[in-house]
Amino acid sequence: GEDVEQSLFLSVREGDSSVINCTYTDSSSTYLYWYKQEPGAGLQLLTYIFSNMDMKQDQRLTVLLNKKDKHLSLRIADTQTGDSAIYFCAESSRGGGFKTIFGAGTRLFVKA
Amino acid sequence: DTEVTQTPKHLVMGMTNKKSLKCEQHMGHRAMYWYKQKAKKPPELMFVYSYEKLSINESVPSRFSPECPNSSLLNLHLHALQPEDSALYLCASSAAGGRVRYNEQFFGPGTRLTVL
């Protein structure tokens, strides 16, 4: 079945760039997403990329997609302490209807 | 208004109690979801309603009973729960309906449920 994998923990210094990586198995994945979850809160969509794109940039966020290797990354430039949260990679496919498959989440810790 | 609201924020219940979780959105979304999230785990899909009809039930035990009284409201009725059902219950909504393409989901803050 479909699977999405992420490393569980990342620690960076304030002002550095953070790179969170994700791999997925479903070759029919149409959209790939990055969601952010702060403590005690629901998930918030940060950005998404369509599978026919290689890169998408949105202010401090850059998403890179390597469809051949089924690898997705999220780069956060100039990481701030407010970026500390759990980041979920997720995918949905055209044939999957409403189902979005989430990875386990990467906990980002930003040191001041 | 891009908010999904959930009540209550916290709920403690015994195994013989009956309680309900409520979710509301006023974004005109026609798909609404219930997820269960255990600590340090991703959300697990439980149910999806599309145009007020149950579209997906991920083999959830019958002690969880969803209800969608109208396009803005989603309830989750709880009865005879077990301690292992303790989790954060998240509601979400999306504009997608019918043939789904880009499926941005808007999540509520969740209800933290503890079953004693």
Side-chain angles (χ1 to χ4, degrees):
Chain A
E2 309 96 339
D3 195 21
V4 177
E5 293 194 0
Q6 305 176 234
S7 53
L8 294 182
F9 188 80
L10 176 65
S11 178
V12 299
R13 291 187 190 280
E14 191 174 23
D16 287 350
S17 291
S18 309
V19 179
I20 302 172
N21 294 300
C22 168
T23 57
Y24 59 97
T25 58
D26 187 359
S27 56
S28 67
S29 292
T30 308
Y31 288 96
L32 294 128
Y33 311 85
W34 285 104
Y35 280 86
K36 176 183 180 183
Q37 186 175 31
E38 297 188 39
L43 279 69
Q44 174 199 359
L45 181 67
L46 286 178
T47 187
Y48 69 94
I49 189 166
F50 187 45
S51 57
N52 69 355
M53 298 166 67
D54 298 322
M55 185 182 92
K56 182 177 181 183
Q57 186 147 7
D58 184 0
Q59 300 183 337
R60 291 191 299 125
L61 305 178
T62 303
V63 178
L64 295 177
L65 175 61
N66 181 328
K67 197 172 177 183
K68 175 173 163 289
D69 294 338
K70 299 194 184 74
H71 182 266
L72 183 73
S73 67
L74 174 69
R75 178 177 180 269
I76 305 173
D78 186 25
T79 314
Q80 302 298 305
T81 54
D83 295 323
S84 294
I86 302 175
Y87 290 80
F88 291 97
C89 172
E91 64 91 11
S92 64
S93 60
R94 195 182 297 258
F98 294 103
K99 285 182 86 164
T100 299
I101 308 297
F102 290 88
T106 299
R107 187 176 295 271
L108 175 64
F109 178 68
V110 182
K111 293 177 281 190
Chain B
D1 181 5
T2 57
E3 198 181 12
V4 176
T5 58
Q6 291 187 242
T7 54
K9 207 173 164 78
H10 300 276
L11 179 62
V12 179
M13 60 186 289
M15 289 191 284
T16 57
N17 292 156
K18 282 186 184 181
K19 296 285 183 185
S20 297
L21 309 184
K22 295 187 185 304
C23 173
E24 192 166 2
Q25 57 88 14
H26 294 288
M27 293 177 276
H29 289 170
R30 302 310 296 270
M32 295 186 76
Y33 309 70
W34 280 116
Y35 286 89
K36 173 182 177 181
Q37 187 179 26
K38 300 283 265 185
K40 297 183 181 174
K41 296 288 186 186
E44 296 173 33
L45 184 64
M46 300 174 72
F47 302 105
V48 181
Y49 274 82
S50 171
Y51 292 89
E52 297 96 69
K53 287 188 170 40
L54 185 63
S55 176
I56 294 176
N57 176 343
E58 289 286 276
S59 304
V60 179
S62 60
R63 57 186 185 269
F64 295 91
S65 174
E67 180 198 17
C68 189
N70 61 54
S71 59
S72 300
L73 291 174
L74 185 66
N75 298 321
L76 186 63
H77 303 297
L78 314 172
H79 174 55
L81 294 195
Q82 304 295 309
E84 59 265 27
D85 296 321
S86 297
L88 181 69
Y89 287 83
L90 293 165
C91 174
S93 70
S94 70
R99 294 182 67 81
V100 175
R101 293 176 62 85
Y102 161 52
N103 190 26
E104 175 179 4
Q105 295 181 46
F106 291 78
F107 282 81
T111 293
R112 177 78 56 193
L113 174 68
T114 303
V115 182
L116 301 175

